[in-house]
Amino acid sequence: MINPKLEEEFNEQINKELYSEYLYLAMKVYFLEQNLQGFVNWFDVQVQEEHAHAMGLFNYLNERGGKIDLRAIEKPVFKGNSPLEIFEEVLKHEEYVTSRINHLADVAEEVKDRAALQLLDWYIKEQVEEEASVGGVLATLKLIGEDKNALLQLDKDLAARTFVAPVIG
Ligand code: OFO
């Protein structure tokens, strides 16, 4: 059995990961409208990753005999109106998710759940990769500035990103 406090945090995090999926889906719409297909692909992969993150927590909670409590997913909101502004928001969002995962690990530590901590190690590492990948695109966008040709080159590069189903845990 899983500690009720930790169970609650898992349920909350499932919701956050599903919100991330929804947020990146909304951002994908922006890039569809701009006809930047490489960025569309990047967000497509991101959407699938977030879904996998949510399901990793979902499956784990189920395996541990916890009660899965699905909650309403908020309407995704972002203000950015350029690739640069949107990636700045993506990075902020990922930093927020990192803080949530760290909080989840703090609670697992508090209730001395070593098994959950092992799973959360995977998520902690994954957040390092998420922030690095987003930070990389953001740094390139800063270099690009107003250069449309360079933006199209980045778009081409982002078209190469592929989804590899993660082995979580
Ligand atoms: Fe699930 O890592 Fe992004 O949010």
Side-chain angles (χ1 to χ4, degrees):
M1 273 309 276
I2 194 159
N3 176 288
K5 187 171 172 187
L6 190 56
E7 176 184 79
E8 165 60 24
E9 294 292 343
F10 263 84
N11 276 311
E12 204 44 42
Q13 192 58 31
I14 290 169
N15 183 268
K16 302 278 179 215
E17 299 291 346
L18 291 173
Y19 175 79
S20 299
E21 178 181 358
Y22 216 31
L23 176 66
Y24 295 145
L25 197 55
M27 289 174 170
K28 172 183 159 171
V29 173
Y30 170 89
F31 289 103
L32 278 170
E33 287 166 0
Q34 304 297 314
N35 198 25
L36 287 168
Q37 296 302 329
F39 281 90
V40 167
N41 175 63
W42 193 93
F43 278 94
D44 252 341
V45 172
Q46 200 65 17
V47 162
Q48 293 175 81
E49 287 205 349
E50 297 305 347
H51 189 74
H53 294 168
M55 292 314 294
L57 298 167
F58 179 108
N59 291 334
Y60 185 76
L61 189 52
N62 181 50
E63 201 180 331
R64 292 288 306 276
K67 181 167 171 43
I68 294 163
D69 176 28
L70 295 178
R71 295 147 191 207
I73 303 165
E74 269 178 54
K75 180 177 166 65
V77 176
F78 67 96
K79 297 193 187 84
N81 197 25
S82 70
L84 177 68
E85 287 174 5
I86 288 176
F87 269 82
E88 277 170 344
E89 284 183 61
V90 173
L91 184 58
K92 268 205 195 101
H93 181 70
E94 286 304 327
E95 285 168 352
Y96 167 67
V97 173
T98 298
S99 74
R100 290 284 323 168
I101 297 286
N102 288 338
H103 171 70
L104 196 47
D106 285 347
V107 174
E109 225 161 53
E110 188 189 315
V111 302
K112 297 189 172 36
D113 190 327
R114 285 183 174 55
L117 274 169
Q118 240 177 12
L119 175 87
L120 291 169
D121 262 353
W122 184 90
Y123 280 86
I124 289 167
K125 282 188 211 119
E126 176 70 1
Q127 281 311 118
V128 172
E129 279 177 29
E130 291 269 277
E131 286 188 28
S133 135
V134 174
V137 179
L138 184 56
T140 307
L141 282 167
K142 282 182 182 162
L143 282 175
I144 285 173
E146 295 301 311
D147 184 342
K148 289 263 181 290
N149 286 332
L151 182 66
L152 290 176
Q153 183 54 51
L154 175 61
D155 189 57
K156 257 192 199 155
D157 295 347
L158 296 183
R161 188 183 189 200
T162 54
F163 175 67
V164 180
V167 181
I168 298 178

